[in-house]
Amino acid sequence: MHSSVYKPKFLQRLSFRLARSGVILALVVSLVTSGYQVYLDFQDERRSLDNSIERVMDASKFAASRAVHTLDYNLANEVVNGMFVYDFVTYVAIIDELGNPLAERSSEPARQNAHWYDSLISNRTRRMETQLETDALGSDVYGLLRMELDLVLAYESFVDRALSTLALGIGKNFILTLLFLAVFYRLVTKPLTLVSTSLDDIDANNPDGQRLPIPRGHEKDELGLLTNNINVYLNSVEKLINDNSRARYQVEESYNNMRRLIDNLPHMIYVKDSSGRLVLVNKTFARAFQLDVDELTGEHQTVILDHYEEKSRELIVEADNKVLADQESLFIPEFEWVDPAGNYTAMELRILPLEFRGEPAILSVGVDITERKRNQARMQHMAYHDPLTDLPNRHLFLDRLDQSLRRAIRSGQLGALVFVDLDNFKNINDSLGHSAGDTLLRQAAGRLREVVRSEDTVARLGGDEFVICMSDLGSDPDEVTLLANQRTEELHHTLSEPFFISGHRLLVTASLGVALFPDGDTSASELLRNADTAMYQAKARGKDTYIQFEQSMAEATTFRLTMESDLRNALDREQFFLTYQPQVDAATNRIIGAEALLRWHHPVRGVVSPVEFIPVLEGMGLIVKVGEWTLRAACRAVRDWMDRGLWTDSMVLGINVSPQQFSQPEFFDQVRQAIDDAGIPARCIDLEITEGMVINEVEETIIRMNQIREFGVTFSIDDFGTGYSSLSYLKRLPLDVLKVDQSFVRDLSTDSNDAAIVETILAMARHLKLETIAEGVELEEQLEFLKSKGCNRYQGYYFSPPLRVEEFEALLKNHQHITETL
Ligand SMILES: Nc1nc2c(ncn2[C@@H]2O[C@H](COP(=O)(O)O[C@H]3[C@@H](O)[C@H](n4cnc5c(=O)[nH]c(N)nc54)O[C@@H]3COP(=O)(O)O)[C@@H](O)[C@H]2O)c(=O)[nH]1
């Protein structure tokens, strides 16, 4: 484990310390055991010495007693000499009762060897005496037998032996200790050092699978167990390190993901500590201050607070403090700040209590709601304004009118409401297209706005209908009437000025209705209806004029509303029926086909003209359903006539198609279905379209017409010459027949212009290889003129008015029969 492992010096090594202790212990043990052994030997030695001396003394005592008793000096000397049996006897004397030696002898000094321990013995000589008695009872003592011993000599061999014993003991223990140490070194110290060295080679911070080898022969002992345990510990360490690094990786990954997430959020996210220091900010937040995340992190919030409005700043600091104190989140729905570029930004802020790195903090999430607010304002504007002209819409207008009405009632100041409807706007829309129509409406709105005062309200109700509310015109009804008419005249006039749209100079007229207010307890919406009624009256009186509302006019409006209501049920109640106007070939006088013309049988009013109800149906959008009914009814009639031999497959029935009907995506399917269901040849059907329908979205119209023509149906262009269409359009259309409008035919004989127009139309048709049918032929002169100009087909009262089905069938029967027999 590298640097963490301590390498002991020799003197600190376990083996040395064990050796040192072993040696000391061996010495002590040896000394104690050997000393004890010497002590025991010494006791034996002393006992043995005493016994020997005693024996010598006892053996010599009798003879010594006799020598004293008999004063036998020779005997005494013999006894004394005889007692020198041991080397260590240094002096023997037999002393009489007077204390005089009878015989005595000392050993020779030469025998007394010097020893290293001589000086240790303080009393080297030991004296032993026994009394010499005359009888065995010892009652009569008359001398002494004295003997002196040299203890050094006496114990000389013992000392040698004891020293040997000691030396042997110590030596033996010492050698044993050394042997034990060698074994200990081999069995413990060496493998321990090996384990320690191996451990040192392992990086504790990254064991990387390295483990300690178990020293050979130690697999089953404590060392093996220790090594195993260390390896188990290393396993745990490695697992811990792996877990730790995995956890660290996961923490880092989570942090990076969190960072990526918050940096890519469009919201401003920042965390402040309790002192107001920004400890975490995301990119959106930093970017708002034109700074990097790193530049802002760690800064005090004053850096950003400087950008806030005074009020917003106080609001935020207060909110932050409250969140910190209450530990509850707070929501600030709106506050403003100025970005470094000086733009005002509206923000929505959510502040939440948080613990950041163990410290109380606050998390703020700011959402830029500037765009949302702008959108809300835009939506609010859209909800109350007309998207085309940006004028107030019906909703807002009624609101303002209501306010003006109330004000007028309070103040007694009268006002006027003007209802404007452009005349024949539909024609412009149909012939020049919707975008031209839209431009016209925008321009008309602009002109109306220019004419009125700033306090007046101009609104668009929809289509070509505009309304103007003019308040505070005065308190005198006559003067106000005059002024209102004058202002209305100005409005009328401004709209009659030519409009220039898409290269066209358009002259547009308008019909206007005026209603003064207050008018009794008339409400705002009733006022609007009154002005509308007056406008309808202006239309009814030939358009291009203005009329002031009178109570009697209300009936006309009621009439129109009633018609709408009646028309809603007319289809279900089977009140519609078709009339058929024959189309004739002037050369052969044969009926070559017919035009199906719709009629409405009103239960009260009787048969109502399509001139009256078709615009209403178109206005209601009901024309699509009714047109489909007409298509099916006409095809069924042809089927019926063919079955009855009244109709040949060379005859063609013309069916009028309204623009709304034609623009339906499902129109093609409706036509094919009606023809298939009836089981008639498609060439028996001719669809009459108008110029306006064609000019609007030409490409799309051509595609549709071709699709239908491929099926076999033919196309006629109706009312040609009355719209804004040009030859270039006509050239591109997949047409079969051109119908000359009855308005040109009507005055053929009297109006040379009309005659020239008809002639031109016929020449154009010839050039484009189109069949021609003249409409509204009532007189022979008209027919003759048309024939002379090459138009042989005609339709008109001259031959027959539109007929009910049974009349038409009778005509078919009789007329074809007559012409065939001719
Ligand atoms: N979208 C649909 N429009 C339809 C349908 N049926 C009719 N119409 C259109 O209504 C307009 C008025 O039609 P109507 O009152 O039927 O008048 C037609 C004829 O009666 C009239 N006519 C025919 N000959 C003469 C005549 O000699 N003199 C005279 N004064 N009038 C005559 O002309 C009308 C036919 O016109 P056109 O369709 O242009 O050929 C009219 O515009 C119809 O188109 C319908 O089902 N759908």
Side-chain angles (χ1 to χ4, degrees):
M1 301 209 174
H2 298 307
S3 53
S4 61
V5 172
Y6 171 68
K7 281 191 178 169
K9 291 176 186 157
F10 176 73
L11 291 181
Q12 288 162 337
R13 284 199 182 161
L14 195 59
S15 44
F16 171 77
R17 288 164 64 195
L18 198 69
R20 190 177 55 193
S21 306
V23 166
I24 292 168
L25 212 64
L27 275 175
V28 172
V29 169
S30 300
L31 281 175
V32 170
T33 53
S34 300
Y36 185 64
Q37 184 61 46
V38 167
Y39 171 75
L40 289 179
D41 286 355
F42 176 72
Q43 294 295 333
D44 282 349
E45 190 69 25
R46 203 170 62 178
R47 249 189 320 270
S48 153
L49 182 68
D50 287 349
N51 287 341
S52 301
I53 297 302
E54 235 171 78
R55 262 194 318 272
V56 171
M57 294 282 272
D58 284 347
S60 306
K61 188 178 175 182
F62 181 70
S65 297
R66 275 201 54 186
V68 172
H69 188 65
T70 59
L71 291 174
D72 186 348
Y73 287 97
N74 287 333
L75 183 62
N77 280 325
E78 273 178 30
V79 170
V80 167
N81 287 332
M83 285 179 72
F84 274 90
V85 288
Y86 298 110
D87 293 348
F88 50 78
V89 179
T90 55
Y91 174 80
V92 177
I94 298 172
I95 298 162
D96 63 19
E97 62 194 320
L98 296 176
N100 297 318
L102 191 62
E104 64 177 348
R105 181 182 156 189
S106 297
S107 63
E108 287 144 33
R111 286 188 56 242
Q112 293 180 6
N113 297 331
H115 295 90
W116 58 272
Y117 49 81
D118 290 354
S119 59
L120 297 175
I121 302 169
S122 54
N123 194 4
R124 182 173 173 166
T125 306
R126 180 175 163 195
R127 176 177 287 179
M128 296 181 72
E129 291 179 342
T130 185
Q131 290 177 340
L132 299 173
E133 297 123 10
T134 51
D135 57 13
L137 295 173
S139 54
D140 198 6
V141 178
Y142 49 90
L144 280 172
L145 179 61
R146 180 177 290 165
M147 189 180 211
E148 284 179 5
L149 309 175
D150 185 339
L151 287 177
V152 172
L153 288 179
Y155 289 124
E156 192 179 35
S157 66
F158 165 73
V159 169
D160 288 345
R161 222 176 38 247
L163 284 175
S164 300
T165 304
L166 271 177
L168 208 67
I170 290 171
K172 187 180 76 185
N173 280 344
F174 188 70
I175 289 164
L176 268 174
T177 304
L178 285 181
L179 284 173
F180 172 74
L181 280 177
V183 172
F184 186 81
Y185 173 75
R186 202 176 142 64
L187 286 181
V188 179
T189 313
K190 195 177 166 193
L192 260 181
T193 309
L194 176 76
V195 169
S196 160
T197 317
S198 304
L199 196 58
D200 193 30
D201 288 340
I202 296 173
D203 183 357
N205 295 318
N206 181 21
D208 197 21
Q210 290 187 81
R211 295 293 179 268
L212 294 177
I214 295 176
R216 198 149 16 108
H218 290 277
E219 289 81 2
K220 291 183 180 157
D221 62 15
E222 291 86 339
L223 203 64
L225 187 68
L226 174 71
T227 316
N228 257 331
N229 283 345
I230 292 174
N231 282 341
V232 169
Y233 169 74
L234 283 172
N235 286 346
S236 305
V237 167
E238 185 151 359
K239 187 174 176 309
L240 219 68
I241 289 169
N242 286 343
D243 288 352
N244 199 24
S245 60
R246 203 173 304 122
R248 210 170 43 231
Y249 173 77
Q250 280 169 354
V251 168
E252 268 171 29
E253 193 185 38
S254 301
Y255 176 80
N256 290 338
N257 284 344
M258 183 273 285
R259 219 26 284 177
R260 204 171 307 135
L261 179 78
I262 66 165
D263 278 343
N264 285 292
L265 279 178
H267 305 337
M268 297 183 184
I269 296 173
Y270 54 101
V271 177
K272 284 183 262 186
D273 65 14
S274 51
S275 71
R277 209 168 49 89
L278 295 161
V279 288
L280 181 103
V281 304
N282 76 339
K283 275 188 183 164
T284 312
F285 183 70
R287 215 179 294 126
F289 298 95
Q290 294 177 3
L291 291 170
D292 285 340
V293 168
D294 294 343
E295 287 176 293
L296 210 49
T297 311
E299 291 295 323
H300 194 265
Q301 63 167 334
T302 42
V303 181
I304 57 166
L305 284 179
D306 287 348
H307 288 276
Y308 294 169
E309 293 279 271
E310 176 75 37
K311 231 168 56 197
S312 303
R313 193 163 39 225
E314 283 168 13
L315 187 74
I316 287 183
V317 172
E318 245 174 57
D320 285 353
N321 291 339
K322 190 160 166 40
V323 169
L324 270 176
D326 300 352
Q327 286 296 297
E328 275 177 16
S329 55
L330 248 175
F331 179 64
I332 301 176
E334 190 179 335
F335 74 93
E336 276 193 340
W337 64 280
V338 190
D339 71 16
N343 303 314
Y344 270 83
T345 306
M347 297 286 295
E348 166 190 292
L349 194 67
R350 199 173 291 278
I351 308 173
L352 303 100
L354 178 88
E355 203 168 90
F356 191 84
R357 291 177 189 144
E359 295 291 323
I362 40 177
L363 164 70
S364 304
V365 181
V367 181
D368 186 340
I369 54 166
T370 317
E371 196 53 37
R372 193 201 298 168
K373 280 195 72 187
R374 241 178 249 143
N375 284 341
Q376 274 171 357
R378 211 175 293 141
M379 277 167 71
Q380 180 112 348
H381 185 84
M382 276 163 67
Y384 291 102
H385 289 80
D386 163 47
L388 182 70
T389 58
D390 205 33
L391 291 176
N393 62 11
R394 176 186 290 270
H395 192 76
L396 180 56
F397 181 77
L398 275 174
D399 189 52
R400 295 214 183 143
L401 180 61
D402 189 54
Q403 287 174 26
S404 300
L405 190 57
R406 286 165 197 273
R407 227 179 16 251
I409 292 168
R410 274 199 310 272
S411 67
Q413 285 283 313
L414 303 179
L417 171 64
V418 183
F419 201 112
V420 182
D421 188 286
L422 303 182
D423 298 329
N424 303 320
F425 172 71
K426 195 170 147 304
N427 285 351
I428 295 165
N429 220 10
D430 288 349
S431 50
L432 295 182
H434 284 127
S435 90
D438 288 351
T439 312
L440 175 69
L441 291 173
R442 270 195 294 268
Q443 288 188 12
R447 287 188 192 183
L448 294 174
R449 243 189 324 226
E450 270 171 30
V451 168
V452 300
R453 300 167 303 173
S454 60
E455 64 265 36
D456 297 337
T457 302
V458 180
R460 179 173 173 237
L461 298 186
D464 55 352
E465 293 176 344
F466 296 91
V467 275
I468 298 109
C469 174
M470 299 183 284
S471 308
D472 303 325
L473 294 179
S475 51
D476 180 66
D478 293 335
E479 281 175 17
V480 169
T481 305
L482 217 63
L483 188 58
N485 284 343
Q486 194 183 318
R487 297 264 168 86
T488 309
E489 174 59 48
E490 285 168 18
L491 293 167
H492 180 243
H493 175 73
T494 191
L495 294 174
S496 64
E497 294 285 312
F499 288 88
F500 296 92
I501 294 164
S502 312
H504 298 275
R505 180 177 182 274
L506 302 179
L507 283 173
V508 175
T509 59
S511 302
L512 299 89
V514 187
L516 299 182
F517 63 87
D519 181 8
D521 54 0
T522 310
S523 68
S525 53
E526 283 167 345
L527 260 180
L528 193 63
R529 205 165 52 235
N530 291 348
D532 184 22
T533 303
M535 184 276 293
Y536 255 88
Q537 283 299 312
K539 289 252 189 231
R541 290 185 200 172
K543 304 179 180 173
D544 193 16
T545 186
Y546 61 90
I547 285 183
Q548 196 170 320
F549 174 76
E550 287 165 18
Q551 201 51 50
S552 58
M553 295 173 189
E555 286 155 23
T557 309
T558 313
F559 174 76
R560 187 166 51 86
L561 293 174
T562 311
M563 189 194 276
E564 282 183 7
S565 156
D566 291 347
L567 275 171
R568 245 172 231 120
N569 303 315
L571 203 58
D572 291 342
R573 293 180 183 164
E574 299 181 350
Q575 291 169 353
F576 291 115
F577 65 97
L578 292 179
T579 58
Y580 302 93
Q581 186 172 33
Q583 291 169 345
V584 183
D585 184 343
T588 60
N589 204 31
R590 281 174 68 89
I591 297 173
I592 50 160
E595 181 181 0
L597 293 158
L598 186 64
R599 298 288 180 267
W600 176 30
H601 186 98
H602 190 275
V604 180
R605 296 174 58 204
V607 177
V608 183
S609 159
V611 179
E612 209 178 318
F613 70 81
I614 284 203
V616 185
L617 279 180
E618 281 173 339
M620 295 167 73
L622 257 181
I623 190 69
V624 177
K625 261 180 100 179
V626 175
E628 192 185 356
W629 177 88
T630 305
L631 195 63
R632 289 186 154 273
C635 290
R636 273 199 309 271
V638 171
R639 171 75 271 157
D640 190 33
W641 299 330
M642 287 182 106
D643 289 347
R644 289 155 60 196
L646 299 174
W647 197 271
T648 65
D649 57 9
S650 63
M651 292 168 79
V652 178
L653 180 66
I655 302 168
N656 288 286
V657 177
S658 80
Q660 271 185 50
Q661 199 184 348
F662 187 77
S663 62
Q664 295 290 306
E666 56 273 18
F667 180 64
F668 168 72
D669 289 333
Q670 284 176 6
V671 175
R672 194 175 53 182
Q673 202 63 49
I675 291 170
D676 284 351
D677 287 354
I680 56 169
R683 64 176 173 278
C684 290
I685 298 298
D686 176 76
L687 297 179
E688 296 191 10
I689 58 172
T690 55
E691 283 181 70
M693 173 191 312
V694 172
I695 286 160
N696 189 20
E697 294 170 352
V698 188
E699 304 305 330
E700 179 65 18
T701 307
I702 292 172
I703 292 169
R704 283 172 170 231
M705 285 175 73
N706 278 327
Q707 202 181 16
I708 296 171
R709 272 182 96 232
E710 271 170 30
F711 186 57
V713 172
T714 56
F715 275 96
S716 298
I717 183 119
D718 207 359
D719 307 335
F720 188 76
T722 55
Y724 292 89
S725 55
S726 65
L727 185 62
S728 59
Y729 282 124
L730 195 64
K731 241 168 53 183
R732 298 178 57 201
L733 293 174
L735 288 167
D736 301 280
V737 184
L738 190 152
K739 289 184 89 173
V740 183
D741 190 68
Q742 55 180 283
S743 60
F744 304 121
V745 176
R746 191 182 304 130
D747 302 323
L748 264 183
S749 46
T750 52
D751 190 334
S752 57
N753 278 342
D754 284 353
I757 290 171
V758 170
E759 211 175 329
T760 311
I761 291 173
L762 290 174
M764 210 156 70
R766 227 182 354 266
H767 181 68
L768 294 172
K769 298 190 174 51
L770 296 176
E771 287 288 348
T772 47
I773 295 181
E775 284 185 308
V777 180
E778 292 181 0
L779 304 167
E780 193 169 354
E781 304 94 85
Q782 293 165 340
L783 182 60
E784 288 310 318
F785 178 85
L786 289 163
K787 277 205 301 197
S788 71
K789 299 299 172 198
C791 177
N792 283 327
R793 297 177 173 203
Y794 70 98
Q795 176 186 340
Y797 294 169
Y798 178 70
F799 185 77
S800 166
L803 300 170
R804 283 180 179 264
V805 66
E806 55 282 2
E807 294 169 330
F808 180 62
E809 286 169 3
L811 178 75
L812 280 179
K813 232 184 268 176
N814 297 329
H815 183 75
Q816 298 300 58
H817 176 70
I818 291 163
T819 50
E820 261 163 31
T821 53
L822 277 174

